[in-house]
């Protein structure tokens, strides 16, 4: 049931409609996102999901030093076309010692039909030495209480120079 904590959670019984993730980010499929068939290029979609998952991991683990460790099978269930509105949803499914596992779903924003599902995306929390470090969390936050902040007024952060 939709709630203040979890406003986007859906409860439809339709099996083509996913009710296990929170859909946060919307994209409008534009000409530059298309493949030679005129439908959405899978690489664009994966880039958007990886970025979305990295931000989600940062919010959940309170650390901007996170890296993608593992992505499971990717099922492209349907294509999207120019002009379609799509939305991406993620949900943490397992908090490990140093890792966070998420499930990802992309669907058409209007019809809610699934376009893609990834059962497991694993991100690893790193310490300053670049090695896996315990994150200390075991449950999802729906707030922004773990966000790493250097400047509380703006929420901005100066990333380390390489
Ligand atoms: C205001 C704030 C704004 C902030 C604003 C910031 C904006 C800025 C955003 C930047 C966001 C960057 C995020 C980009 C995301 C990339 O693009 S990252 C680039 C691609 N990824 C990489 O380069 C990673 C390369 N791999 C590695 O460096 C090493 O494998 C790692 C990740 C350090 C891990 O090393 P390792 O020796 O394998 O570690 P190990 O201790 O064996 O395992 C660590 C964890 O991974 C798990 N694991 C290991 N292998 C596997 C596997 N095959 N499958 C599943 N789990 C596994 C283990 O079970 C363990 O989990 P826990 O049991 O501790 O929970």
């Amino acid at each position: 049931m939709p709630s203040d904590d979890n406003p986007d959670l859906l409860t439809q019984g339709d099996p083509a409609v996913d009710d296990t993730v929170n859909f946060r980010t919307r994209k409008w499929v534009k000409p530059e996102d298309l493949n030679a068939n005129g439908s959405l290029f899978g690489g664009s979609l994966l880039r958007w999901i990886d970025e979305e998952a990295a931000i989600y991991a940062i919010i959940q683990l309170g650390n901007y030093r996170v890296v993608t460790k593992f992505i499971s099978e990717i099922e492209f269930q349907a294509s999207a076309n120019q002009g379609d509105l799509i939305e991406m949803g993620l949900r943490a499914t397992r908090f490990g010692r140093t890792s966070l596992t998420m499930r990802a779903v992309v669907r058409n924003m209007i019809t809610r039909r699934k376009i893609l599902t990834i059962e497991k995306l694993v991100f690893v929390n790193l310490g300053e030495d670049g090695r896996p470090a315990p994150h200390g969390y075991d449950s999802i936050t729906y707030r922004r209480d773990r966000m790493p902040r250097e400047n509380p007024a703006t929420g901005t952060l100066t990333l380390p120079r390489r």
Side-chain angles (χ1 to χ4, degrees):
M1 173 183 298
S3 74
D4 289 345
D5 270 353
N6 201 352
D8 295 336
L9 205 59
L10 301 170
T11 52
Q12 270 94 359
D14 184 340
V17 175
D18 201 282
D19 63 356
T20 61
V21 299
N22 298 318
F23 292 90
R24 299 276 181 216
T25 300
R26 280 88 187 187
K27 290 273 185 189
W28 186 28
V29 179
K30 297 196 281 304
E32 60 265 33
D33 306 320
L34 303 181
N35 59 30
N37 297 321
S39 60
L40 175 59
F41 179 54
S44 300
L45 195 48
L46 295 177
R47 182 163 53 82
W48 296 339
I49 292 169
D50 194 34
E51 184 177 330
E52 181 77 4
I55 294 167
Y56 185 85
I58 290 167
I59 291 169
Q60 294 300 326
L61 304 182
N63 181 10
Y64 60 83
R65 291 187 186 86
V66 295
V67 285
T68 317
K69 174 65 185 173
F70 177 83
I71 300 180
S72 71
E73 292 89 349
I74 300 161
E75 185 183 0
F76 289 95
Q77 285 140 301
S79 57
N81 299 309
Q82 184 176 340
D84 283 353
L85 292 172
I86 64 169
E87 54 189 356
M88 297 186 281
L90 287 164
R91 186 174 182 86
T93 54
R94 181 176 174 271
F95 284 79
R97 195 178 79 92
T98 66
S99 67
L100 174 66
T101 304
M102 295 164 250
R103 179 167 190 272
V105 177
V106 179
R107 69 182 184 184
N108 182 298
M109 196 179 135
I110 307 302
T111 66
R112 295 188 171 174
R113 297 290 149 175
K114 276 195 242 179
I115 293 168
L116 169 146
T117 305
I118 305 175
E119 286 303 328
K120 280 174 81 175
L121 282 135
V122 180
F123 275 69
V124 173
N125 184 68
L126 302 181
E128 285 185 21
D129 59 358
R131 295 296 306 154
H135 48 66
Y137 294 107
D138 61 7
S139 61
I140 300 175
T141 178
Y142 295 103
R143 295 185 292 276
R144 299 287 180 263
D145 53 325
R146 298 176 193 163
M147 278 299 277
R149 282 205 184 97
E150 202 172 65
N151 182 343
T154 60
T156 52
L157 187 76
T158 309
L159 294 175
R161 290 183 189 281
R162 297 198 178 263

